[in-house]
Amino acid sequence: MTFDVHQLDTFVLVGAGVTLLAILAVRLSSRAGLPSLLLYLLMGVALGENGIGIDFQNAELAHALGFAALALILAEGGLTTSWDAVKPSMRLGLSLATLGVAVSVAIVALGAHFVLGLSWQLSVLLGAVTSPTDAAAVFSVLRGLPLSPRLVGALEAESGFNDAPTVVLVTLISTGSVADHGVPTTVLVIVFELVVGVVLGLAVGFGGAWLMRRAALPSSGLYPLAVLCLALLSYGAAAGAHASGFAAIYVAALVLGNSELPHRIATRSFAEGVAWLAQIGLFVMLGLLLTPSRITWSVVGIAVVGSLLLTFVARPITVWVSAVVQPMPWREVGFVSWAGLRGAVPIVLATIPLAEKVTDAERLFDIVFVIVVISTVLTGPTLPTVVRWLEVTRQLEPRSLDLEVAPLERVAADMLQVTITPVSRLHGVEVGELRLPEGSSVSMVVRDGRTIVPERRTVLRRGDDVLIVTPHHLREPTVKRLRIVSAHGRLGRWLGD
């Protein structure tokens, strides 16, 4: 098959148009209270063979592109996740991603076999495919709700880590390895892939952070690209070692995102843009892969029962069992049970049996697609109401300090750009009262578009951009001092950090 310039022009035209429509759909979905992924899936269906007529039935290509998109989405999730926020609930998140997945697979598989009459292989595959929550849905939906950091942290950690064991499990079942080697060997393989993936992710994350702090690249636009490539490097390294690339890329991105790197704000913005593009392409592609004419009443009936089983039986039991490692009040347990958002991940996982040509794989894909749509419509729009009912709300706290770092190439120093936000207690503080480490200095203040060369008595105001030059070895103490003053005012050091 050839691909000429005319086809490329058409591809660019259609791709740009669909992407722009998808971006505009974000606004529509936020007004309707629906995750945007549902609209993207429907756009793909509309473009497919029963809609406009684009024929896309390549399960192997969908499987490969789906994994690539998930890797980018997990990288963005790690880069934009605050370790301070997820650390208190990391035990619960890991428990949900491992023990919780096992419990959910067992419950859904038993229900699918004895209630729905599916074969054991199809039942276990359905349980494994539908067990993980979706990182894209969790990151985009939950960060807009006034929730406590503990709840958001637990759900983000779960969605970041639960892809890894389920990908391994679905692959082993689809290839027949579970039947050949037995359950104990399968468990050992999953544990090996997770552990090695996490170790490689930590190695690339800390090594990459060390490298980026010492690299003086000629353009600021290269830093976000380099950080994202480091995250992808961890994925490739883990895959090459037959370990979990998803665990590796999320851990590496989490380390990189919480390290003091140059141009952190720009890096996060770049990662968010790439992740949105990956989400749009992924969901539209999965919609294209669906053949609506195959959706029979039998498929819909199985999907409805499966959704109810997953939402009202498997998920609550999963959370209750997982919470043994980190007990929570019943209200928080209830919210975490309801907030198990499904999205592209189950549909991507359903392409693995398709690619391996498992018996009834097309039927499984159709069932999973309908389950995702039902679960999204059921849980997504109701989350704000559930938050109020269960009284787990917390007022969102604006950041007290926005900090950007740029290296100075010809000297061993960095320039810090500090934006004084409306809640920062840097407002009203004189430059001399900052008491920065000796060797660090405030070089310029930008206020209302005007530049001010500061003196010791210059008073900082909300909205100011403050430029500070500091040697590399003093950057962390300087940043720490700025954060103390921003949080506690000029007397922060004596009143406590």
Side-chain angles (χ1 to χ4, degrees):
M1 179 180 178
T2 60
F3 193 77
D4 56 26
V5 175
H6 176 70
Q7 290 173 312
L8 175 63
D9 294 340
T10 304
F11 176 79
V12 171
L13 176 63
V14 175
V18 171
T19 304
L20 285 173
L21 287 175
I23 292 172
L24 295 175
V26 176
R27 180 63 176 170
L28 177 62
S29 66
S30 63
R31 287 183 175 181
L34 294 172
S36 53
L37 66 91
L38 183 60
L39 293 180
Y40 299 158
L41 288 172
L42 296 179
M43 286 176 64
V45 173
L47 291 170
E49 58 180 321
N50 292 125
I52 292 179
I54 298 176
D55 185 17
F56 179 74
Q57 296 298 322
N58 193 330
E60 292 83 1
L61 180 59
H63 175 206
L65 293 178
F67 272 37
L70 287 180
L72 291 172
I73 292 168
L74 285 173
E76 184 269 340
L79 289 172
T80 56
T81 295
S82 169
W83 173 247
D84 291 336
V86 300
K87 182 180 178 180
S89 50
M90 183 57 72
R91 279 184 300 160
L92 177 60
L94 290 174
S95 179
L96 287 167
T98 51
L99 176 62
V101 164
V103 172
S104 180
V105 171
I107 293 174
V108 174
L110 290 172
H113 181 70
F114 290 109
V115 178
L116 300 176
L118 301 181
S119 66
W120 272 117
Q121 184 184 33
L122 209 62
S123 297
V124 177
L125 278 174
L126 181 63
V129 164
T130 56
S131 291
T133 56
D134 183 70
V138 170
F139 294 146
S140 62
V141 173
L142 293 184
R143 290 179 182 178
L145 295 175
L147 293 168
S148 68
R150 182 167 69 165
L151 289 178
V152 176
L155 291 166
E156 287 189 358
E158 177 194 12
S159 66
F161 285 108
N162 65 10
D163 293 351
T166 49
V167 166
V168 179
L169 180 59
V170 173
T171 302
L172 293 175
I173 297 172
S174 300
T175 57
S177 297
V178 174
D180 294 339
H181 302 292
V183 174
T185 302
T186 301
V187 173
L188 289 176
V189 170
I190 293 175
V191 171
F192 167 81
E193 294 207 12
L194 286 176
V195 171
V196 175
V198 170
V199 170
L200 288 174
L202 290 172
V204 173
F206 285 111
W210 179 88
L211 178 64
M212 295 303 297
R213 281 196 293 265
R214 286 156 180 79
L217 301 178
S219 172
S220 61
L222 293 175
Y223 286 92
L225 188 60
V227 170
L228 187 60
C229 286
L230 282 169
L232 292 172
L233 177 66
S234 68
Y235 179 90
H242 301 289
S244 173
F246 292 119
I249 195 170
Y250 183 71
V251 170
L254 188 63
V255 173
L256 290 167
N258 287 273
S259 302
E260 292 292 341
L261 300 181
H263 303 290
R264 289 176 62 190
I265 296 176
T267 298
R268 290 177 179 176
S269 298
F270 176 76
E272 287 176 359
V274 171
W276 272 110
L277 185 61
Q279 289 179 49
I280 292 169
L282 173 61
F283 297 140
V284 172
M285 179 195 69
L286 293 175
L288 281 171
L289 194 61
L290 178 74
T291 302
S293 58
R294 293 202 310 255
I295 306 296
T296 63
W297 285 112
S298 172
V299 169
V300 173
I302 293 174
V304 169
V305 175
S307 298
L308 296 177
L309 176 66
L310 186 67
T311 304
F312 294 102
V313 181
R315 178 66 181 180
I317 294 176
T318 293
V319 176
W320 180 74
V321 172
S322 301
V324 171
V325 302
Q326 189 171 353
M328 298 186 299
W330 71 267
R331 295 179 184 275
E332 295 185 357
V333 171
F335 178 79
V336 174
S337 300
W338 189 252
L341 298 172
R342 268 68 186 182
V345 171
I347 305 177
V348 171
L349 292 178
T351 65
I352 299 177
L354 270 179
E356 297 293 337
K357 296 180 173 53
V358 174
T359 305
D360 279 341
E362 288 186 349
R363 187 184 183 203
L364 175 67
F365 181 87
D366 297 338
I367 292 171
V368 171
F369 194 100
V370 179
I371 285 177
V372 167
V373 172
I374 294 173
S375 299
T376 301
V377 173
L378 183 65
T379 58
T382 58
L383 277 178
T385 302
V386 173
V387 169
R388 291 193 298 271
W389 281 354
L390 294 177
E391 298 178 353
V392 291
T393 59
R394 194 197 70 155
Q395 294 299 318
L396 293 176
E397 297 179 0
R399 290 174 295 183
S400 63
L401 190 67
D402 284 338
L403 183 67
E404 179 69 286
V405 182
L408 300 177
E409 297 180 25
R410 302 190 62 173
V411 293
D414 294 313
M415 178 174 288
L416 311 181
Q417 178 182 330
V418 179
T419 300
I420 302 178
T421 67
V423 299
S424 174
R425 298 189 66 179
L426 281 169
H427 174 76
V429 174
E430 296 179 359
V431 169
E433 293 175 323
L434 292 175
R435 299 194 308 283
L436 300 177
E438 186 176 354
S440 300
S441 63
V442 179
S443 60
M444 183 180 294
V445 176
V446 180
R447 179 177 299 162
D448 299 327
R450 296 182 298 107
T451 58
I452 301 172
V453 178
E455 301 176 351
R456 288 186 58 82
R457 300 301 300 273
T458 300
V459 179
L460 302 178
R461 301 295 181 193
R462 295 185 181 93
D464 285 353
D465 287 317
V466 184
L467 302 184
I468 300 171
V469 177
T470 177
H472 283 329
H473 68 280
L474 291 178
R475 189 176 77 180
E476 292 187 7
T478 300
V479 171
K480 181 179 180 181
R481 176 59 190 163
L482 288 170
R483 295 193 187 281
I484 290 173
V485 180
S486 180
H488 303 288
R490 59 175 64 88
L491 299 179
R493 179 164 292 172
W494 290 287
L495 296 178
D497 295 353

